[in-house]
Amino acid sequence: MRFSFDAVSGLGLGLFLCACGSEALNKDEPAPEAPALPEAVELVQLFAPQAGWSASALAFDPTRSGELWVTLRQFPSDEPCTEAAMLGCSKLIGRVALVRGATSSGPTMQIKVDGNAWHFMRRPTAIAFGANGYLSTCGEARTDNYEDEAADYSGPVLWSSDPAIFGVKPEPGQNGTHLDMLHESPFCMGVAHERDNAYWVVNGQIGALDRYDFHLPHVIGGEDHSDGELARYVTGALARVPEIPSHLVLDAARRELYVADTGHSRVARLAIDSGTPGAELPVLEEMVRHQQMDGATLIDVVAPGLLTHPSGIALAGDKLLVTDNATSKLWWFDLSGAALGSVDTGLAIGSLAGVTVGPDGQIYLSDLKLGTAYRVVPREP
C-alpha cells in the first residue's frame, strides 16, 4: 500500500484565511421547519467560484453554528497517475471549502487541504457529519494509490471536524490528518451517517449500498483499521453515472435510507434493518466483520420517468428534496414519492449536485460546474 505521495506543496492551493471563530451550537434550539415550495428562487453565492474546481457535496457541522463544509475536486484529467508518471496525481487532490457564517449575510471561507489528500480525499463526491464531532467523506476513484496498481483500493474516510486537527500540517510520522479509512468501496458516490461512527455509502463499482462501522478512530494519521466492519446490501441494484454524485440521506426515526439512484433515474429506499447475514466478503485488509446481507431490497420511491439524473437528496421534515443534474431543477416529494413540485434554479445543465437544509431552514446547493455553493432564497415569480 502506498499513501505517501505529497502533491499538496507547490500546487498553488493557497489558503483563504479568516479571523473568525466558530460559535458553539445551542443543542436546545428547535430544529428548523421544512422549507416551503416556492414558485421561483434566487441563489445567493456563498463564496467566489473556484476556477477549475467542482463542488460535489455540502453539509453543516452540527457542533458549530452556521459552519458549512463543501467538498471540492478538480475536473478529470487524462494524464496518468503512476509511480513512473505522476503528472496526473496532483489533479486527484480534493479539498474542503469551510464556510463560516454560511447562514449569515457575511460568510467567510477558508480552504482546507489534508496533508495526504492525494489518498484520503481523492476526487471527493460526498460528505456527512455525525453528531460527535466526526465526519466522513468518500471519493470517485477505483484506487487511492497509483492507478497502475491492480487492487481496487478505495472507500470512506473518517475525520475530525476540530480545526486544530483537520487539514493542519501533519506531525512527523502522521499520514495526513485522517482518523480512519476503510477501502472496500471503489467509485464511492454518496455517504450518509447512521449513528456513532457508522456510515452508509454508495459503492459505484458494483452498484451496492455498503454500511461501514469505523468503531474507535485510530490516532491522527494512523493506519490501524482492524476494528472496522462492512455489511453489503443490494449488490447490482444501483447504477453509477461518472462525474455525478449519487447522494444518500437517512431517516433515522423510520430507519429508512434514501438513495438518488442516478443511473436508473429514480429515488429508492432501503429499510436498514432488513436482510440477513450471508457469505463473508473478500476484503483487502483485516476487519472484524465483512459480510454480504441477503434478502434486502430497494423499493422505488420516485420511479423512473420523472427525474433524469437525480443527484442530491435531503430530508426536510416529511419531505424529500432532490436535485436533478440533467435539468438543474430542485424537486420536492412527500415520503411516498408523490411529487409536490419543482423549481428551476437557473443554473447551467449539469450543475446541480449536493443539497442540504441549513439550521436556518434554508436550502443550500453545490455547483459541479462552477465550484461554489449557494443559499436558495424564495422570490416572487
Side-chain angles (χ1 to χ4, degrees), residues 5 79-90 146-148:
F5 175 73
E79 298 166 345
C81 174
T82 66
E83 191 170 11
M86 295 190 296
L87 189 60
C89 295
S90 64
Y146 292 116
E147 292 172 338
D148 55 351

Side-chain angles (χ1 to χ4, degrees), residues 23-54:
E23 179 185 353
L25 184 64
N26 183 353
K27 299 294 186 182
D28 297 326
E29 291 180 358
E33 295 183 3
L37 172 62
E39 294 184 38
V41 298
E42 60 179 309
L43 304 181
V44 177
Q45 184 175 283
L46 298 182
F47 55 85
Q50 301 292 290
W53 291 80
S54 175

Side-chain angles (χ1 to χ4, degrees), residues 138-153:
C138 65
E140 189 174 9
R142 180 191 65 80
T143 178
D144 293 331
N145 293 324
Y146 292 116
E147 292 172 338
D148 55 351
E149 295 185 6
D152 297 334
Y153 196 70

Side-chain angles (χ1 to χ4, degrees), residues 128-286:
F129 278 90
N132 54 4
Y134 297 146
L135 66 144
S136 182
T137 63
C138 65
E140 189 174 9
R142 180 191 65 80
T143 178
D144 293 331
N145 293 324
Y146 292 116
E147 292 172 338
D148 55 351
E149 295 185 6
D152 297 334
Y153 196 70
S154 184
V157 183
L158 187 71
W159 308 89
S160 169
S161 69
D162 186 337
I165 298 176
F166 181 84
V168 302
K169 183 177 180 180
E171 298 290 336
Q174 288 182 348
N175 192 1
T177 59
H178 80 294
L179 298 183
D180 217 328
M181 185 176 191
L182 297 169
H183 300 85
E184 310 297 333
S185 300
F187 299 108
C188 182
M189 305 304 287
V191 61
H193 177 252
E194 181 190 323
R195 60 168 178 79
D196 301 326
N197 290 326
Y199 292 82
W200 292 78
V201 306
V202 174
N203 184 326
Q205 185 179 65
I206 60 173
L209 289 170
D210 290 346
R211 182 190 183 274
Y212 286 93
D213 196 332
F214 293 101
H215 290 290
L216 293 177
H218 55 54
V219 297
I220 298 170
E223 296 185 7
D224 182 3
H225 308 146
S226 59
D227 66 342
E229 293 188 27
L230 166 64
R232 178 162 293 155
Y233 296 73
V234 298
T235 301
L238 303 174
R240 164 180 168 255
V241 175
E243 302 305 316
I244 305 177
S246 296
H247 289 295
L248 296 168
V249 66
L250 179 70
D251 184 339
R254 297 176 177 86
R255 298 190 61 76
E256 292 176 329
L257 182 70
Y258 293 87
V259 54
D261 187 1
T262 310
H264 290 142
S265 305
R266 65 172 178 164
V267 173
R269 181 175 62 220
L270 175 74
I272 65 172
D273 295 319
S274 63
T276 57
E280 283 197 347
L281 298 166
V283 292
L284 297 171
E285 58 188 339
E286 181 184 355

Side-chain angles (χ1 to χ4, degrees), residues 62-131:
T63 68
R64 292 179 175 83
S65 181
E67 187 169 288
L68 180 68
W69 292 46
V70 185
T71 52
L72 301 174
R73 62 185 194 172
Q74 296 186 73
F75 295 114
S77 171
D78 293 331
E79 298 166 345
C81 174
T82 66
E83 191 170 11
M86 295 190 296
L87 189 60
C89 295
S90 64
K91 297 284 287 185
L92 302 174
I93 295 174
R95 54 183 180 173
V96 169
L98 186 59
V99 185
R100 295 187 175 95
T103 59
S104 72
S105 60
T108 57
M109 188 269 282
Q110 178 186 10
I111 294 294
K112 300 276 279 186
V113 186
D114 178 66
N116 199 6
W118 171 78
H119 181 81
F120 296 110
M121 197 171 282
R122 180 175 294 201
R123 305 211 69 237
T125 55
I127 182 170
F129 278 90

